[in-house]
Amino acid sequence: MSTPKQTLSGLLKISRPVATALAAGQPVVALESTIITHGMPWPQNLETAHAVEQTVMDAGAVPATIAVLDGAIRIGLSAEELDRLAHLKQVRKLSRADLAHALVLGEAGSTTVAATMICAQLAGIQVFATGGLGGVHRGATESMDISADLGEFQKSEIVVVCAGAKAILDIPKTLEVLETLGIPVLSYGTDRFPAFWSRDSGLASPLRLDHPQQIADFMRIRKQLGQSGGVIVANPVPEAAEIDKQILEPLISRALKEARAAGIGGKAVTPFLLQRIFELTEGRSLETNIALVLNNAVLAARIAAEL
Ligand code: PSU
Ligand code: MN
């Protein structure tokens, strides 16, 4: 059988440290790049990208930040490449539908949760850490705005460690869609489903596990049962960094109203809302975002070690 690298003939470039770790069966954690280009302002985006990689390494795994650069899917970026990505002005936000398009045109792009899952699977990486999942947007009965992140879990066999779904979303509907699609939502060490900046969305978690070993076993048993697809691990933000739901809710309502008034749609919605929440919380939401991503990186590394 040919390796993914050969079949993809130049479209997939795995960095040397990541390729070495994969060949040796060492734990590898995939990291997305939309959070760098569209999720955080400069310079915290680059600082966080480096801090997340360092956190993965400190936890005993090899980080593989994923993006499209120079006409190829890149698995593992050098410090110089991370820097270049964080500085890019005209970088595309790539989801499942866009990956091949960016490759045809040779355009640079960052990968969302959905696209990162696809690329991680191609590279043979099983675990991926991010901030918050995309989901069903508020007002989706009108806008039909449901993130492609959700459907991706039916296709790519990856464990995605996140801090739940972003509070800007309609979380009850997001959980309903996940249930309909049969996608497991495992909250880590809690019975509550977390809401990104807050530890509790107000909703019970569909499933709970308390140890990285159990999460690895969960994946193994699914495989034995012939179940394909990915799994969501919802890891609540550390208490010291969380923002109370009551504080956030009026700010989210305001940001949503502004988005509607400005006619923001499609891919621009999530970046717009994250930026406005950042401004309305005077930067506090960003501190929380950074804390939760680092927290997820540690858990992802521990799960990768068990797999
Ligand atoms: N987590 C963060 N910040 C982000 C995202 C996740 O802490 O910016 C990104 C992810 O890349 C996710 C995307 O896939 O937001 C969801 O975008 P949309 O709602 O357009 O599908
Ligand atoms: Mn959308």
Side-chain angles (χ1 to χ4, degrees):
M1 212 180 80
S2 54
T3 65
K5 248 195 214 160
Q6 285 161 340
T7 25
L8 286 164
S9 60
L11 289 179
L12 187 75
K13 291 200 175 130
I14 304 180
S15 74
R16 193 174 294 269
V18 173
T20 306
L22 287 171
Q26 286 161 352
V28 175
V29 173
L31 300 165
E32 63 145 309
S33 45
T34 295
I35 191 167
I36 303 172
T37 57
H38 294 74
M40 289 185 186
W42 171 266
Q44 289 93 341
N45 60 345
L46 181 58
E47 289 163 12
T48 305
H50 283 297
V52 178
E53 291 212 340
Q54 190 59 51
T55 302
V56 169
M57 288 190 271
D58 292 345
V62 173
T65 301
I66 294 178
V68 174
L69 278 179
D70 309 321
I73 294 171
R74 307 294 305 275
I75 312 286
L77 301 180
S78 67
E80 177 272 318
E81 287 162 343
L82 261 188
D83 193 84
R84 183 144 64 93
L85 185 73
H87 274 98
L88 283 176
K89 287 272 156 346
Q90 298 259 297
V91 60
R92 293 176 60 179
K93 173 180 166 184
L94 308 175
S95 192
R96 167 171 274 268
D98 317 296
L99 264 181
H101 191 255
L103 290 167
V104 165
L105 298 180
E107 291 174 349
S110 56
T111 50
T112 61
V113 167
T116 306
M117 289 172 75
I118 294 170
C119 300
Q121 169 127 328
L122 287 172
I125 301 171
Q126 302 179 77
V127 185
F128 157 31
T130 180
L133 272 191
V136 180
H137 281 263
R138 300 191 195 187
T141 46
E142 266 301 305
S143 69
M144 304 274 290
D145 190 347
I146 302 175
S147 175
D149 288 354
L150 299 186
E152 194 56 44
F153 283 86
Q154 289 194 304
K155 304 181 187 98
S156 296
E157 209 153 303
I158 308 286
V159 179
V160 179
V161 182
C162 62
K166 298 188 195 81
I168 53 174
L169 300 168
D170 186 326
I171 295 182
K173 285 198 182 70
T174 299
L175 286 176
E176 286 293 348
V177 168
L178 290 168
E179 182 179 275
T180 302
L181 299 178
I183 295 159
V185 179
L186 301 168
S187 291
Y188 180 69
T190 171
D191 294 317
R192 312 300 296 171
F193 183 65
F196 199 64
W197 299 288
S198 317
R199 291 174 59 83
D200 182 359
S201 62
L203 295 160
S205 176
L207 305 166
R208 165 182 180 159
L209 286 176
D210 293 347
H211 304 287
Q213 159 93 59
Q214 290 177 317
I215 296 168
D217 287 343
F218 182 89
M219 286 306 280
R220 278 190 278 266
I221 291 175
R222 274 175 64 83
K223 209 168 240 165
Q224 286 172 319
L225 299 178
Q227 293 184 314
S228 55
V231 165
I232 297 167
V233 174
N235 186 28
V237 62
E239 230 167 300
E242 91 166 317
I243 307 179
D244 199 88
K245 261 205 327 247
Q246 270 74 3
I247 295 175
L248 272 178
E249 204 42 55
L251 306 181
I252 291 172
S253 303
R254 187 171 152 192
L256 284 165
K257 251 184 232 135
E258 291 174 359
R260 264 193 299 274
I264 308 284
K267 286 172 183 292
V269 173
T270 298
F272 176 89
L273 293 173
L274 289 177
Q275 172 64 21
R276 281 304 285 146
I277 305 287
F278 166 69
E279 290 158 5
L280 294 170
T281 59
E282 288 162 358
R284 215 177 133 205
S285 68
L286 179 60
E287 285 169 38
T288 305
N289 199 344
I290 294 168
L292 65 84
V293 175
L294 297 177
N295 190 46
N296 294 341
V298 174
L299 179 58
R302 293 178 61 196
I303 297 168
E306 296 293 345
L307 282 165

